[in-house]
Amino acid sequence: MDNQRLFDFGGSYTGIMGKIFDLLLVGILWIICCLPVITIGASTTALYYSVVKSVKRGNGYAFREFCHAFRINFVPATGIWAAVAGVTFLVQLNMGILMQKTSGNTGLFFICFYYLVSVYVCAAACYAFPALSRFDMSAVWIWKLGMYMAVRYILTTLAVFLVIGCVLALFWALPMSIFFTPGAAVFIISDFMERVLEKHMPE
């Protein structure tokens, strides 16, 4: 490919820079829409939807697709997020009480149990919001699907946790990376998440 074609509109350079801009844009939109806290679920669903549809598949405009997905999935995504946040809060509260009030093997057992429950809830949520962006199902069935996938596709779950862990480590070392990492992380995660979701698409 010569230099003229490389820099032509629609060429590889322009396409790559366009994708990078879109990832940055939807990442910033995700941060803004997460600020009310209660909207984190809807924002995450919209982020996944816009990255897969606009950035990876080149269909539509990232900003428009983000807003569209945020609007149509707001109610079920908020319900799922409220359940996730509520369960996580109760689990962490119980863990804190156990750490202060108990000792010995019994206390250790329940602390480990609650810790595993917390991890499992987070794993199910990692599937629930992408599934919500793809499937026309009730929030209850989406959550059940997320719980099933978290265990059924354990290697994918571990890969998702690895990406999220790397993003959190990068943010800890470089706080300004928060503007760049959300879109990029979802872009990477969607590579193996889509393989799982496509197995459950209706024929």
Side-chain angles (χ1 to χ4, degrees):
M1 178 180 295
D2 56 33
N3 290 336
Q4 183 177 359
R5 289 190 61 192
L6 178 65
F7 289 94
D8 278 346
F9 183 79
S12 61
Y13 176 81
T14 303
I16 291 173
M17 293 305 297
K19 290 181 183 296
I20 292 175
F21 175 80
D22 285 343
L23 288 175
L24 177 61
L25 173 63
V26 295
I28 294 174
L29 287 173
W30 178 79
I31 295 171
I32 294 173
C33 293
C34 281
L35 292 179
V37 180
I38 192 64
T39 57
I40 288 177
S43 182
T44 302
T45 304
L47 175 64
Y48 186 89
Y49 180 85
S50 58
V51 167
V52 172
K53 183 174 181 179
S54 298
V55 181
K56 300 200 75 168
R57 299 180 178 175
N59 297 323
Y61 298 98
F63 179 84
R64 184 184 300 171
E65 298 302 333
F66 184 98
C67 294
H68 170 73
F70 185 91
R71 184 178 68 257
I72 66 173
N73 294 304
F74 180 82
V75 173
T78 302
I80 293 173
W81 168 244
V84 171
V87 171
T88 302
F89 173 77
L90 290 176
V91 167
Q92 295 299 318
L93 180 63
N94 287 335
M95 286 178 61
I97 294 173
L98 286 170
M99 288 179 180
Q100 294 182 358
K101 302 295 184 179
T102 63
S103 60
N105 293 332
T106 301
L108 180 61
F109 170 81
F110 281 104
I111 289 173
C112 292
F113 172 76
Y114 281 124
Y115 177 78
L116 291 175
V117 169
S118 182
V119 171
Y120 181 52
V121 169
C122 292
C126 288
Y127 287 91
F129 296 118
L132 181 60
S133 74
R134 295 293 303 274
F135 303 139
D136 185 15
M137 303 168 62
S138 69
V140 174
W141 280 105
I142 288 291
W143 181 246
K144 290 180 179 179
L145 185 62
M147 294 177 66
Y148 165 75
M149 288 179 171
V151 177
R152 173 64 179 81
Y153 304 101
I154 186 64
L155 293 180
T156 299
T157 302
L158 294 176
V160 171
F161 277 172
L162 177 61
V163 173
I164 294 175
C166 291
V167 168
L168 292 176
L170 180 60
F171 172 67
W172 181 264
L174 185 64
M176 287 299 296
S177 67
I178 191 174
F179 295 104
F180 304 96
T181 51
V186 171
F187 187 88
I188 296 171
I189 289 172
S190 65
D191 272 346
F192 32 85
M193 183 65 71
E194 282 298 294
R195 299 172 193 169
V196 171
L197 296 178
E198 286 174 0
K199 294 179 181 179
H200 297 270
M201 291 290 291
E203 296 183 0

